Amino acid sequence: MYVVKSSLSDADLKTVAEALQGALVDLVDLSLVAKQVHWNVVGPRFRSVHLQLDEVVDTARLHSDTVAERASTLGVPPDGRAATVASSSGIGATPEGWIKDTDAVRALVEALAAVITRMRERVAATGDPDPVSQDIFIGITADLEKHHWMFQAENG
């Protein structure tokens, strides 16, 4: 079996691999949380929040693929299985059942904040060992912060 090898040192690869795996888990969970809320949001702002949630899903799915492919490029098998996501995500529990639009917005503000905090830690951790991965994390963080701002403005 052919194994992809990285040019990073073992220590640097360990740091970057942990950052990439953590980001993958958070992004997969963020897409699931946003979709769950998307299906259950109700209230006077249903349509605008419903559509805004799909934008978060699209962003999270796009970036999760980028992160997983970066891990594979470095010879690290990405793990996006449900059990891994459930046990490793930094996002809190998602409300079940119908979710009032203001509560839906609040849930996304909290989920995005959790992921952004962890993403910024990954930006810091990967700067020296792998600026390429760091650049990916910077781009992801910028996109998530934009969604975070927009959801905060919803309940301003």
Side-chain angles (χ1 to χ4, degrees):
M1 176 184 190
Y2 177 76
V3 178
V4 177
K5 298 285 184 184
S6 170
S7 61
L8 298 176
S9 72
D10 288 345
D12 287 349
L13 183 59
K14 182 180 185 306
T15 297
V16 175
E18 289 172 0
L20 289 166
Q21 180 58 39
L24 177 62
V25 163
D26 284 349
L27 290 166
V28 169
D29 198 22
L30 180 61
S31 73
L32 294 172
V33 166
K35 201 48 130 165
Q36 179 67 25
V37 175
H38 165 91
W39 292 324
N40 289 288
V41 65
V42 293
R45 295 180 303 161
F46 162 80
R47 181 163 173 74
S48 64
V49 172
H50 182 80
L51 295 173
Q52 191 175 0
L53 287 161
D54 266 343
E55 293 173 7
V56 173
V57 171
D58 291 346
T59 296
R61 287 180 179 168
L62 173 72
H63 287 309
S64 65
D65 193 52
T66 300
V67 166
E69 288 180 359
R70 178 66 185 159
S72 293
T73 298
L74 296 174
V76 177
D79 187 355
R81 297 172 300 158
T84 302
V85 172
S87 68
S88 305
S89 174
I91 301 174
T94 305
E96 67 178 81
W98 302 119
I99 304 169
K100 188 173 180 332
D101 52 7
T102 53
D103 294 336
V105 168
R106 193 172 304 107
L108 258 291
V109 167
E110 291 171 6
L112 285 161
V115 175
I116 289 165
T117 297
R118 289 167 50 115
M119 208 59 72
R120 285 189 163 276
E121 292 168 359
R122 295 175 185 117
V123 168
T126 56
D128 287 332
D130 185 24
V132 176
S133 294
Q134 182 192 47
D135 186 56
I136 291 169
F137 294 135
I138 290 169
I140 293 168
T141 303
D143 287 349
L144 295 178
E145 286 179 340
K146 184 174 181 182
H147 286 299
H148 190 239
W149 157 56
M150 291 184 171
F151 273 103
Q152 289 180 83
E154 284 281 336
N155 276 350

